[in-house]
Structures are given as C-alpha cells and as structure tokens.
Amino acid sequence: MCKQGMSICARPAGRSGDGSSPGLSQFNRQAGDGPSPLRNMGRSRGWAAPLLGPTLTSGGDGERQPSRFQILGDDEQGVRLRLRLGFGIRYPRIRRRVVYPTILLKYWVGTSLAVLVLGSCSKVSYQPSPEVTSLGKIEVTARLSQIIGEFPPNNLYDYVYVMKYQVLKVHRGQVEGQEIYVGHYNPLKPRAQAADKFSGKIGGNVYRFQAGDVHRLALDKPLDLFYMGGIIDKFFKEPGTRYWAIWTERSPE
Amino acid sequence: MRCHCLMPTAQCPNRLILRGISLLLICFSGLVIGTAADGAKAVGPDVVAQSVLAREVAKAGWIVFSAKTERGDWDLFLMRPDGSERRKITDTASFNEAGARFSPDGKRLLYYRLPKSEAVDNNTYGKFDLVIANATGENPVFYGNGFAWASWSPDATQLACLAPQGIQIIELASRKVIKQLPRQGLVQQLIWSPDGQWFVGTANGLGPYWNIARLNLARGELNAVSEVDRYNCTPDWAPDSRRIVYARGIIPQSPGRAELWVAGGDGQEKQMMYAEAERHIYGACVSPDGQYLLFTRSVEDLGRVDNSQTTMSLIRWKDAPMVGDDSAPLRQRFPAARRGPRLDLGGGWEPHWTQHALVK
C-alpha cells in the first residue's frame, strides 16, 4: 500500500522474497546487474509504461509508449514511477511498492463513495433561497407532471408556456387543488438568464424543464396580470387558475 | 388616313408605315385584352394593370409607415398610396419609431418611440413610449410609458390603451383614465372600431395560441374572430366596423406562411384575401373607402422585423382572393384566386392610410 498517494513503485524482485511476476522481470535485478533496462526509458522523459500495469516492454532503446506511468528514474532501490491519473494531478511517488491494482481499485471506490455521500448530503443540506421564500404570494414544492408539446425557439418572439404541476407541499399562500398550471417565461432559457424588461423579476436555478423534476416555486396569480404578451397554453380547455412563476428552484422531494 | 399615290403598296412608303403601325396596335391591343381577360394566367409583373391601379390610388390620401434608414435606425415616412412623394418625417438617430396610426380626422399621428438598441418587433413595439404629433410629424408630444398599444377613439379625443389591470380609456387633454374595463385576455395590437362600439386585438385564452378577438364596449362580451388552432395577429377594422382583416398565421412546428384573411366581427364568413407561398403577410390595413387592402410581405417570419426583408403592397378589395405567385399548393387551396394586380410600394412596415390632406 502506498503511503504517500496514488503512485506506483516497482519493487525489485527478490528483496522481499516474493519472487518476480510476469511482466516484472525487468525489475528482477540483482546488484551488479548494471543499469536498469528502464534507464533509457526514464531518460526519454516519456510515459513509458502501458496503462494496465507496470508491465514494461523493452526498455533498452528508450522507446516511448503511451502510458499513465512516468519513469522518474531507477536506482539500487528500484524503479521510481509516477502515476498520472488523466486529469492533471500528480501524486507523490512511492518507492518499492507495486500496488497498482489495489490503489486504483481503492481510488475508484473512494471516489464513488464520495459522490454518494455528497449526493445524499445535498438532500439534507438544501436550503431554499431568500427569493423563493419571499417573492410572490404563493410558495410550493411541486413535481412538474406534464409538458405538452415542444417549446418554440425564441428567435421570433418571447412567450410564456403553461405547464402542469402536482403540488407536494404548500409553504406560503394557497393554491386551488393538487394540480396547478404554471406559466414559465421563455422556458428554453435557464431561469437565471430568463428575466428581461418584459418579464420583470424572475429567476431561479433550474436550467431546463423536464417532466418529473421537483421544483420549489414562488408564484403569483393570475398569470395574465403579471405578463401581457403571448401565452402558449395547451391546457386551455382545463379550468383553473394560471399561475405566474417568479422563482423556480430545483428541490429534493 | 389614306394614301392616294399610284405606286404599288410594296413600294409606297406611306402605306408601309401605315401597315406597320396597324400591326403594332393590333399586337398591343391583344396584350391588354389577354391580360385583362384572365389575370390568373399572367406570369410576372403586369405593368399595365399595375399602372392603372397606381393611377387609381395616387391621390387617395397618404400612407405613414416605418422603414429602416441607412443609419440602421427606423424612422417614420409618408408617401402617396402609389408610392410617390415618399419622404421622412422623423429623423432620430438614437431612436426607432414604430406603429404609427393617423387619427380618424387625419390631423394627428400617434406612434411609439423605442431606443435604437431595441428590436423593432410586431409583438412589442406598443410597450414603449407613446408620442403624438401632427400628421406631418411636426410638434411631437411625448407621452411616455404607460400607454401600451394605444388606439384613437372615433372622435380623436380619447385613447384606448392596454394595461395589466384592463383596457383603459384615457382622455387625451388631461391624460386621465376615465374608464376601465376587463381585458379578458387581450394583450396587444388593440384597435378601436370606427363606430366606437368595439375593440379588436390579439388575445390569449381562446385556444392554445394567441388569436384575434373582438370585445363589445357596452356589454363587455368577447368573441373569437380568427381560427383558434394557430397563431393569428395584426388585426384591423374595415371602415364598416363589421369586418376585420388580420394575419392568419401558422400552426407551430408546421410549414406554411402567414396569410391575409378577413372575417366578420362575429368570426363568421372567413375568407382568404391575399397569400403567397414565399412571403409572410402581416400588418393588413383597409383603405378609408374600403376599396383597397394595404399590407406587408416578409421573406422571414415576424416577430422581429430586422433582416426580414419586409416590403409593402396594395391590392383592390374586389380583386381578392389573390395568390401572388404561381404556387401550386396555394392554387389548389384557392382555385378561384386571381394572380394580380398587386402594386408594390417598396420597403416598409406597419403602414396606415388616411384619406385626408395633410395639415401641418
């Protein structure tokens, strides 16, 4: 196990008595064997080892091979390698250990665990913004249950598009029923970029709208009072108030 | 005229000349007759018919419109209905002027002024600053924001405007709101009828998209005028206050072009008046005597007018329905449509027509 990070060291065979392994024969050197056949490769300053392990091919001619390992040098204690993980981070080198499979396995497991932990922590750590808790007269957490049709492009005109939501929780004000119809201004634009002189203050962190997402919404009504322009409402035959979306955030359920 | 010389015809220069003139007259007459007999077969500009149309309208009042200048801003222009006497009446490098309309008495103009940086747009020009000036553009009075989509009352002493709270009737002299009624979905391009009893405009809520609606002032009743399964916009009244012309737009994500249609105020008797396969038709305006239709033709769809290659044209009402090109699909939809004549009036957008002489 490398102590200093994700690096590979080639351990000369025989020193720990564990014998050599295929592919590591180059490292099976004894005192007096002369310079490591990898010396030239290290001098080439290239990535000298293939991806899947410290299996080095001919090292005598300094042939460079694409690799994630860089040979830093070799001495009587062994060959010093540095593992490059593909995103520009270099870890301190460790001598004397061949731990590649174990290290990489632990790296990926660790990363995956970190992602899971962060993801689960996001549910616990979600804090609604000051805007969503204060703007408008109504605040709900709701699931976007239906979008009918496609959003037209914005190259010819601005518009509001009405979508259907299933209310999960009402935080402020009152809504009519469990299903509400909410108009979003220029829904092709991320909420943070949607506001203009004709919409007034609107915003949020929703980047795009897709059915199934859960949003925390600051609303007002009726929609027609807050936006005087073209409205696309494919639910026009359905009765019910149309709400104007002021602030729209992604929310955990 | 007869030549009395004794020379054979083939040698007599006078007779040869006479014969040549006769042949030319016969050919010309045939061309005129052939064109007049069946306009649908005419291909390409019909110069003679256009000239006749131009002479009919040359002195029939004035047209005001917006056009893009060499500086890149949009100014107001006046011209005769035949396209002559074209001249600029605003000259503001920092602003665009749009949506000009003569008062019913022809003495004044209302229009909207927007910063040059703002796009000139069918759907938004009426949300900017209102200006009222003389019909020649002189003595402009700045009214500012808060008079969205203003329309003249029949006596030109009031304006009807759209506000979030409703339709506001504003007394011009005092600029005060003297009456307010619910908009019922009307959102833009509001026009007061010549008889003062109705409003027409573009409205939400009648279908999935925005459509043409008529509102009775006294009863507050709203009805759809256009079809409701597609976009419709830019309405205007015929002088009889019974018929409404408008742009019948497209169904979104479907092919097609906007066409000029007319309908009764109750939404009945819809009829195509003018269409082209390669142009979008918007901004219809009926002449004050009800005999002609003025409109714009755009290569690109509106919305935003820049780069749309928008020009103005005029046809006789009695020559409609008319298809302006040789489109087979349009000919199939409208087999009785004529081919012309159409008088082209050059570049411009949102024209309006007055029959009155201009007074400074």
Side-chain angles (χ1 to χ4, degrees), chain A residues 155 157 197 224 228-229 233, chain B residues 118 127 183 204 208 231 304:
Chain A
N155 57 326
Y157 45 79
K197 69 181 77 65
D224 191 51
M228 206 165 70
D233 184 0
Chain B
E118 292 291 340
K127 297 182 179 182
R183 281 192 289 119
N204 295 315
Y231 296 128
R304 298 180 178 96

Side-chain angles (χ1 to χ4, degrees), chain B residues 122-280:
Chain B
N122 261 8
N123 299 309
T124 60
Y125 71 83
K127 297 182 179 182
F128 291 91
D129 295 330
L130 176 69
V131 181
I132 294 179
N134 292 349
T136 54
E138 294 167 340
N139 303 319
V141 176
F142 183 76
Y143 278 66
N145 208 271
F147 300 88
W149 303 106
S151 178
W152 294 101
S153 64
D155 63 2
T157 62
Q158 298 170 350
L159 295 176
C161 299
L162 289 174
Q165 309 90 322
I167 300 174
Q168 295 179 336
I169 310 297
I170 298 170
E171 188 178 63
L172 262 178
S174 62
R175 304 193 188 186
K176 289 185 179 176
V177 178
I178 58 174
K179 185 178 180 180
Q180 182 167 302
L181 54 158
R183 281 192 289 119
Q184 299 191 58
L186 285 164
V187 290
Q188 61 190 33
Q189 297 152 3
L190 183 76
I191 309 291
W192 207 327
S193 65
D195 65 3
Q197 297 182 25
W198 307 90
F199 291 124
V200 72
T202 303
N204 295 315
L206 297 169
Y209 312 108
W210 43 91
N211 306 120
I212 307 303
R214 182 187 70 163
L215 176 67
N216 183 275
L217 265 78
R219 297 190 300 270
E221 295 169 351
L222 187 87
N223 67 273
V225 174
S226 64
E227 299 156 72
V228 297
D229 62 339
R230 59 183 62 235
Y231 296 128
N232 294 276
C233 62
T234 66
D236 205 347
W237 289 97
D240 60 8
S241 297
R242 287 180 51 248
R243 291 171 294 174
I244 294 163
V245 293
Y246 61 96
R248 176 184 183 268
I250 62 171
I251 296 175
Q253 280 90 45
S254 298
R257 297 286 188 277
E259 302 168 351
L260 197 173
W261 281 57
V262 66
D266 57 0
Q268 304 300 311
E269 300 175 11
K270 296 184 183 67
Q271 180 186 355
M272 189 279 286
M273 300 298 280
Y274 185 86
E276 270 187 75
E278 299 300 322
R279 295 288 188 276
H280 295 276

Side-chain angles (χ1 to χ4, degrees), chain B residues 3-16 19:
Chain B
C3 178
H4 296 277
C5 76
L6 298 177
M7 297 169 68
T9 300
Q11 297 177 5
C12 172
N14 290 335
R15 290 197 192 121
L16 287 173
R19 190 165 287 182

